[in-house]
Amino acid sequence: MSNLALAVRDSSTMLRRNLLHARRYPSLTLNLLLTPIMLLLLFVYIFGDAMSAGLGDGGGDRSAYIAYIVPGLLLMTIGSTTIGTAVSVSNDMTEGIIARFRTMAIHRGSVLIGHVIGSVLQSVASVVLVGAVGVAIGFRSTDATALEWLAVFGLLVLFALALTWIAVGMGLISPNAEAASNNALPLILLPLLSSAFVPVEGMPGWFQPIAEYQPFTPAIETLRGLLLGTEIGHNGWLAVAWCLGLAVLGYFWSAAKFDQDPK
């Protein structure tokens, strides 16, 4: 069997293993998923009328704020889901199963690839669920074409892939599951420091460059442009650049750490 065929076979096996774990222990995924859903409902129904007043010409009522906040919450959902990936990888590294895998005739990279593909699939499913909640409370896309919807899906998958590789690296450097959860916490906190909830223009001047050029804001503004017809500008290529850069960084970081870890 060729090396590529071996990699595909063993990665498929590891993917099935991770999906079975997620099915048998859904509480972690559900707990992480509740955060963006609760924030969506909280900001729409408690703060929606007040927050919409700061949106400019498109603001003024709760429906405008629903349209504004949903794209940010979709990306926050991805960040939330990948925390579970960091915890899962850390558990594998500390509970001895990786040491057992290393004594078996399996492709070395298949363990990480299984985690990554499984996490991306869970992220997409979680985004669909949060998106359905958004639609249920009034979110509507304005005249998005089939090509724009395809671009939305592609960006979400690419963003999930990038954050997943970063989460895998965080899981590999963590001594236990609790530390992995804490190390990956920025993946859910960064959206709070982006344009997800309020426009960057309404933030303090010294903080605006930080909020504008961090990974989440360009991706959020690109989603808004595709779904709502707002101006995308430079955010499209900046979002793709962030995703590709983080994916490459996370991959090499994770591969190097996995290869050198003696466990």
Side-chain angles (χ1 to χ4, degrees), residues 5-6 16 40 49 63 111 145 216 227 248 257:
L6 180 65
R16 287 196 299 271
L40 174 62
D49 289 335
S63 61
V111 177
T145 65
F216 279 87
L227 293 174
V248 171
K257 181 61 181 174

Side-chain angles (χ1 to χ4, degrees), residues 1-256:
M1 182 179 292
S2 69
N3 189 56
L4 177 60
L6 180 65
V8 171
R9 186 199 67 182
D10 292 341
S11 296
S12 299
T13 301
M14 293 300 168
L15 172 60
R16 287 196 299 271
R17 169 181 175 266
N18 287 297
L19 293 179
L20 285 173
H21 278 190
R23 189 180 70 180
R24 291 173 182 171
Y25 307 102
S27 58
L28 177 60
T29 301
L30 291 176
N31 287 337
L32 295 171
L33 191 58
L34 283 177
T35 300
I37 291 178
M38 292 302 297
L39 285 174
L40 174 62
L41 298 178
L42 174 67
F43 273 84
V44 168
Y45 288 109
I46 304 300
F47 306 125
D49 289 335
M51 299 290 281
S52 65
L55 297 183
D57 295 337
D61 57 32
R62 183 177 296 166
S63 61
Y65 194 63
I66 293 175
Y68 183 85
I69 197 176
V70 165
L73 263 297
L74 294 181
L75 293 181
M76 191 175 193
T77 300
I78 294 175
S80 232
T81 304
T82 55
I83 293 179
T85 305
V87 172
S88 180
V89 170
S90 179
N91 281 334
D92 277 357
M93 297 301 294
T94 57
E95 292 179 357
I97 188 64
I98 297 299
R100 178 65 184 272
F101 285 151
R102 284 174 170 166
T103 66
M104 301 169 64
I106 63 174
H107 189 270
R108 188 174 182 83
S110 63
V111 177
L112 298 185
I113 293 173
H115 275 292
V116 169
I117 298 177
S119 177
V120 171
L121 292 177
Q122 289 181 64
S123 294
V124 171
S126 299
V127 164
V128 170
L129 179 56
V130 173
V133 174
V135 170
I137 64 175
F139 175 80
R140 297 294 183 270
S141 174
T142 56
D143 301 324
T145 65
L147 186 60
E148 287 171 329
W149 276 106
L150 183 61
V152 167
F153 179 77
L155 178 59
L156 290 172
V157 171
L158 187 59
F159 201 81
L161 180 65
L163 291 195
T164 297
W165 274 116
I166 295 296
V168 168
M170 290 176 173
L172 289 171
I173 66 171
S174 302
N176 51 56
E178 291 77 12
S181 179
N182 292 332
N183 288 337
L185 203 57
L187 298 180
I188 197 173
L189 292 180
L190 271 178
L192 300 175
L193 308 177
S194 71
S195 64
F197 298 97
V198 295
V200 172
E201 294 77 13
M203 299 178 183
W206 62 269
F207 188 76
Q208 288 182 17
I210 300 173
E212 184 175 358
Y213 294 107
Q214 60 130 308
F216 279 87
T217 294
I220 291 169
E221 295 302 326
T222 302
L223 287 183
R224 287 192 181 120
L226 293 171
L227 293 174
L228 306 173
T230 58
E231 183 67 30
I232 295 178
H234 65 278
N235 290 299
W237 66 262
L238 195 57
V240 173
W242 265 117
C243 289
L244 294 177
L246 289 175
V248 171
L249 173 65
Y251 168 77
F252 283 108
W253 179 32
S254 300

